[in-house]
Amino acid sequence: MRVLEGDQVLMRIFIGEADRFGGKPLHQALVELFRSQKLAGATVLRGISGFGAKSHLHTTQLLRLSQDLPVVIELVDTQEKIDAIMPLIDEMVQEGLITQEKVHVVRYSPGTSE
């Protein structure tokens, strides 16, 4: 098991649910990339409302049901691991927002299996 502790980097990728890459949803393609590159882990969060650079409103409200809800992919790893995959991420994410910030990892463990 990889050890991940102390000061690391949190990357967030803000995209739309309808965004695609290689014939599949972009968020799925990104998670598969992160797993294949052995990053520590990733989480995909689906938003209920939001807007981006084009100011198009995306919402789950009944009268304005959007097919392109906001999606955020979060991952935490070393700066080196994230820097190594940035060219691939840049190729895959054609529009959206990518942020990075320093975080302090308190615990990263797989738990116990019974």
Side-chain angles (χ1 to χ4, degrees), residues 18-80:
D19 294 342
R20 300 185 69 76
F21 182 83
K24 62 178 74 171
L26 177 57
H27 66 273
Q28 179 183 344
L30 287 166
V31 169
E32 290 172 2
L33 168 69
F34 302 153
R35 189 165 187 250
S36 74
Q37 297 298 308
K38 301 194 183 328
L39 271 74
T43 300
V44 177
L45 307 166
R46 184 179 190 221
I48 59 171
S49 183
F51 69 92
K54 294 180 183 175
S55 293
H56 295 160
L57 183 62
H58 306 275
T59 181
T60 59
Q61 291 177 5
L62 187 57
L63 296 176
R64 286 191 60 141
L65 188 57
S66 175
Q67 299 298 314
D68 191 22
L69 293 172
V71 172
V72 179
I73 302 114
E74 294 189 339
L75 63 126
V76 176
D77 214 304
T78 65
Q79 185 71 62
E80 295 75 25

Side-chain angles (χ1 to χ4, degrees), residues 71-102:
V71 172
V72 179
I73 302 114
E74 294 189 339
L75 63 126
V76 176
D77 214 304
T78 65
Q79 185 71 62
E80 295 75 25
K81 293 280 275 187
I82 290 175
D83 287 346
I85 63 165
M86 275 309 298
L88 297 171
I89 295 169
D90 284 338
E91 179 184 326
M92 295 170 75
V93 178
Q94 297 300 308
E95 62 180 70
L97 171 68
I98 300 172
T99 65
Q100 291 184 12
E101 60 188 89
K102 298 290 184 189

Side-chain angles (χ1 to χ4, degrees), residues 1-9 40 76-78 103-109:
M1 181 189 91
R2 252 180 89 196
V3 174
L4 190 67
E5 59 188 17
D7 293 335
Q8 303 299 334
V9 176
V76 176
D77 214 304
T78 65
V103 294
H104 186 80
V105 175
V106 176
R107 177 182 308 143
Y108 173 67
S109 63

